Amino acid sequence: MSQKIIPVVMAGGKGTRLWPLSRSTAPKQFMDLMGKKTLFQRTLERVGDEELYEAPIILTNAEFRFLVAEQARLIDRPLARILLEPVARNTAPALAVAALIVARDFGEDAIMQVLASDHEIVENKVYFDSVARARDAAEKGRLVTFGITPTEAATGYGYIEKGEELGGGAFTVKRFIEKPDQEKAERLIAEGGYLWNSGMFMLPVGLFLQELRQLAPEVMDAATQAVSASKDDLDFVRLDEEAFSKAPDISIDYAIFEKTPMAAVVPSPIEWSDLGSWDSVWKLGAQDDDGNVADGRTTLLDTRNSLVLSKDIHVAVQGLSDIAVIASEDAVYVGRMEDSQNVGKLVKFLASKKATAPLTETHRTSYRPWGGYTSVLNGDRFQVKRLFVKPGRRLSLQKHHHRSEHWIVVRGTADVTIGDRTIPLRENESVYIPQGEVHRLANPGKILLELIEVQTGSYLGEDDIIRIEDEFGRE
């Protein structure tokens, strides 16, 4: 019997293409898009068969580490390791690090399956048949990529031209093609023999490391040093920043697959989307009789073939066709469906302006390992937030140089440490934290603790937090 596959899930990256719901600190893999689970959680569930898979290894960055751990916990999925990339260096260095970890823990005979955490895939027999064919080809000494059988002349994906048949449903790779324009995409589909490049791989670890040493030695050297000097931090593995920063910023396609003679592609007729634009979300959604996909607080009248999403405010659309209207808690996007591939350009423009740059970075609601907060109101020398703390969790022991705080309990119970004393608070009770005073907030109860926090002072930035003690390892 073959050994189990080691899943490697890539969960880093910045969110731009599904703005305004995705932001740089909250990319699409961690979003709930018209479902009860996030794309990241559904990816973990696809590798949940314990007879086929080992527990997954997650590649992410420090900013998302607690989000990854919490979303896995919520669906009761154990993780083997969470590897933290100190800087963004594309897929080749990231997968080199993962392969070194797998080789160390499971041996170079292991097979690892690389999955993106932000793809929508229908998990059925067709999908797992493709996984089995890719695994067979990998066990026979091939670096395998999954090629999605095209359903249209899409311009948002790269293409792979398949070559000679290898048997078992695998083919050599003749060439990779960058994202084409519409005319070229239609020509490729008409000619046949071309597949969408999915960005998913099945890799025999020993062969992959061998090709890295030969074809991308700078990547391999940096990855080796980053793993050797890595440090465990709670449930995470922090790669060495100095070493990892020396790796070239290069994708696995450019570094290995376009150069190696050992590449193979497995045509995969699966229902797949990288959800890279709002029109792809519309195509996968449940359309009504007018071709509309709507979710949340929405009203549509005389509207056709449109996508309308809103959770926080009520959005009404009348007399329009082929548009996307996406409302978040602090921004609304309106555009033609045919332009939704270009949302990234709009995000870059917003990011270049001081007044709008924050809209590309964070939501009004930010999540932390203890819970999170929502910004309610900002003014000159004051701001109001809604804090929510999970049962049994507590914030760091901390102080602020430039602000004081007032806390009012709305729901649940709180233990508030101020200096050397701890005060219990119940609903409708409040407390004042003077500027410079050491303090901590904890939820000793069994339900979510909710508070209103009023901050006043000369500077109210999140970097005015001096942590004295923190159980989550933050500085």
Side-chain angles (χ1 to χ4, degrees), residues 406-421:
H406 301 255
W407 289 341
I408 306 165
V409 177
V410 176
R411 181 172 181 260
T413 58
D415 280 344
V416 180
T417 298
I418 305 176
D420 58 359
R421 59 196 179 103

Side-chain angles (χ1 to χ4, degrees), residues 308-367:
V308 184
L309 307 179
S310 179
K311 293 183 178 181
D312 296 290
I313 60 174
H314 199 103
V315 173
V317 179
Q318 181 178 11
L320 298 176
S321 299
D322 304 301
I323 64 163
V325 181
I326 315 299
S328 71
E329 55 194 353
D330 59 353
V332 179
Y333 169 78
V334 181
R336 294 177 300 183
M337 197 77 76
E338 64 187 52
D339 292 334
S340 63
Q341 291 279 354
N342 299 317
V343 170
K345 293 180 181 179
L346 173 63
V347 174
K348 287 182 180 179
F349 179 78
L350 292 170
S352 69
K353 307 295 182 181
K354 184 178 180 180
T356 54
L359 294 174
T360 71
E361 298 163 0
T362 60
H363 284 287
R364 284 175 52 195
T365 298
S366 297
Y367 295 93

Side-chain angles (χ1 to χ4, degrees), residues 112-177:
M112 70 182 202
Q113 182 181 354
V114 179
L115 306 99
S117 62
D118 58 355
H119 291 180
E120 177 68 34
I121 295 174
V122 174
E123 182 181 331
N124 55 20
K125 184 177 184 301
V126 175
Y127 169 74
F128 284 108
D129 284 348
S130 297
V131 170
R133 288 195 297 272
R135 177 181 183 169
D136 289 344
E139 289 178 340
K140 293 174 182 176
R142 290 285 179 169
L143 301 175
V144 184
T145 181
F146 290 77
I148 306 299
T149 304
T151 56
E152 60 179 316
T155 60
Y157 308 136
Y159 284 69
I160 300 171
E161 183 179 5
K162 65 182 182 182
E164 298 177 2
E165 187 171 0
L166 294 169
F171 295 78
T172 61
V173 173
K174 194 168 183 178
R175 61 172 173 149
F176 288 86
I177 301 170

Side-chain angles (χ1 to χ4, degrees), residues 8 66 80 118-119 298 305 336 414:
V8 174
F66 295 114
D118 58 355
H119 291 180
T298 62
N305 302 323
R336 294 177 300 183

Side-chain angles (χ1 to χ4, degrees), residues 14 46 102 108 110 117 177 242 261 273 318 363 409 411 433:
K14 301 295 185 180
R46 281 200 302 277
V102 172
E108 292 198 0
S117 62
I177 301 170
E242 182 179 357
S273 172
Q318 181 178 11
H363 284 287
V409 177
R411 181 172 181 260
I433 314 294

